[in-house]
Amino acid sequence: MEIEPIDRTSLLDLLAYCDREYEEEGMEELVDKLIEEEKKKQPFEMGKYLEQIPDYQTTLKGTNGLLNKEFERISSGKPLNSFNSSNYIVSKPKDKSLKDPKQWKKSIKRLELSTALQLQRNENLTLMSKFSSNSWLDYNRGLGAYSNNIRKRTQQIEEQTLDLNRARKFEQEQITNKLKRFKSRWYETVDRNLKTERACKNLEKEIEELEKKNLKK
């Protein structure tokens, strides 16, 4: 039994040091807009969801007579009626009913019902003995194979997710080290430039002093 491929992008863990989409300009406004649109589709008052959902009895009331009777029975706390087996008891009319055609017809009808019930039971037993155990075994084997495939697929996705997160973390750490090196070089360059600028100013002062001395001579 094969499992349909799963979109891996929806299962990736978000990394706090890498995923910053929510901080992008305009993203917060977009999220708030989507939330407002969803609230318009479901106009429920906050904290009172269940009170605003119609009761199941009022929803189904009037659609079916048997359901209405069952609702009334449950509301009144009456127990469920037991199975009436009298319709399946086969017996001939007794005493004065022996000469009543209607009673004989009722007895014949009960006999037909009882015969049909026994035939159905026999068919069910035959089908059960032939297919039931094997069918359940096949079904259970199928469920076991499906469960194993899901377990393997889940393990693969978890491993892929961990590998991807490790790679992304490693890349971020490498970039961080590069930034630190560049920052250190920048400070060194700035320091050299300042020293060079200071030395140039000192030389300019010395040149001015020498020129003044030469003019005095």
Side-chain angles (χ1 to χ4, degrees), residues 55-78:
D55 185 64
Y56 70 95
Q57 293 192 16
T58 59
T59 303
L60 298 175
K61 189 174 182 180
T63 59
N64 188 287
L66 292 177
L67 285 176
N68 291 335
K69 290 182 180 179
E70 187 64 16
F71 286 144
E72 292 175 0
R73 181 191 66 79
I74 295 173
S75 300
S76 61
K78 295 180 180 179

Side-chain angles (χ1 to χ4, degrees), residues 137-167:
L137 288 175
D138 292 338
Y139 180 72
N140 290 334
R141 279 194 291 267
L143 288 179
Y146 185 70
S147 177
N148 291 333
N149 287 336
I150 291 178
R151 190 180 298 109
K152 291 179 181 178
R153 182 60 177 163
T154 302
Q155 185 176 0
Q156 291 176 357
I157 293 174
E158 290 176 350
E159 292 175 355
Q160 292 172 358
T161 303
L162 289 174
D163 292 340
L164 179 60
N165 286 342
R166 291 192 188 101

Side-chain angles (χ1 to χ4, degrees), residues 5-216:
I6 300 174
D7 184 12
R8 294 184 299 170
T9 58
S10 62
L11 301 175
L12 298 179
D13 293 336
L14 297 180
L15 303 178
Y17 50 80
C18 185
D19 299 300
R20 303 279 185 177
E21 289 83 357
Y22 191 73
E23 298 178 0
E24 295 179 1
E25 184 178 358
M27 183 61 68
E28 185 175 357
E29 290 77 7
L30 176 60
V31 172
D32 292 338
K33 180 180 178 181
L34 294 175
I35 293 174
E36 292 299 326
E37 291 177 355
E38 185 65 21
K39 288 169 66 177
K40 291 179 181 178
K41 295 179 182 179
Q42 301 290 339
F44 289 109
E45 185 179 351
M46 294 296 292
K48 297 182 179 181
Y49 301 109
L50 296 179
E51 296 179 4
Q52 299 174 70
I53 298 175
D55 185 64
Y56 70 95
Q57 293 192 16
T58 59
T59 303
L60 298 175
K61 189 174 182 180
T63 59
N64 188 287
L66 292 177
L67 285 176
N68 291 335
K69 290 182 180 179
E70 187 64 16
F71 286 144
E72 292 175 0
R73 181 191 66 79
I74 295 173
S75 300
S76 61
K78 295 180 180 179
L80 183 66
N81 294 332
S82 58
F83 178 71
N84 185 11
S85 61
S86 60
N87 293 329
Y88 302 94
I89 298 175
V90 181
S91 61
K92 65 179 182 179
K94 298 180 179 179
D95 302 331
K96 297 180 180 180
S97 301
L98 285 172
K99 296 181 179 181
D100 189 352
K102 293 182 179 181
Q103 295 299 325
W104 279 102
K105 288 180 180 179
K106 289 182 179 180
S107 297
I108 293 173
K109 187 176 181 179
R110 290 195 184 96
L111 179 60
E112 291 174 348
L113 289 172
S114 179
T115 302
L117 177 63
Q118 295 302 325
L119 289 173
Q120 187 179 24
R121 285 180 175 176
N122 187 37
E123 290 177 359
N124 290 338
L125 290 173
T126 302
L127 291 172
M128 185 180 294
S129 62
K130 187 176 182 180
F131 300 109
S132 180
S133 58
N134 293 331
S135 297
W136 276 108
L137 288 175
D138 292 338
Y139 180 72
N140 290 334
R141 279 194 291 267
L143 288 179
Y146 185 70
S147 177
N148 291 333
N149 287 336
I150 291 178
R151 190 180 298 109
K152 291 179 181 178
R153 182 60 177 163
T154 302
Q155 185 176 0
Q156 291 176 357
I157 293 174
E158 290 176 350
E159 292 175 355
Q160 292 172 358
T161 303
L162 289 174
D163 292 340
L164 179 60
N165 286 342
R166 291 192 188 101
R168 294 169 74 183
K169 184 177 180 180
F170 177 77
E171 182 181 0
Q172 293 292 319
E173 290 175 348
Q174 293 294 106
I175 293 174
T176 301
N177 293 331
K178 287 183 179 180
L179 291 174
K180 288 180 179 179
R181 289 197 299 270
F182 292 152
K183 187 176 181 180
S184 177
R185 291 179 184 176
W186 182 82
Y187 280 124
E188 291 175 359
T189 303
V190 171
D191 185 62
R192 283 199 301 268
N193 290 339
L194 291 173
K195 290 179 179 179
T196 303
E197 184 178 357
R198 190 180 301 112
C200 290
K201 288 182 178 180
N202 292 333
L203 288 173
E204 289 176 355
K205 287 182 179 180
E206 290 179 2
I207 291 171
E208 289 178 357
E209 291 176 356
L210 289 173
E211 288 179 347
K212 289 179 179 180
K213 290 180 179 179
N214 290 332
L215 290 174
K216 290 180 178 181

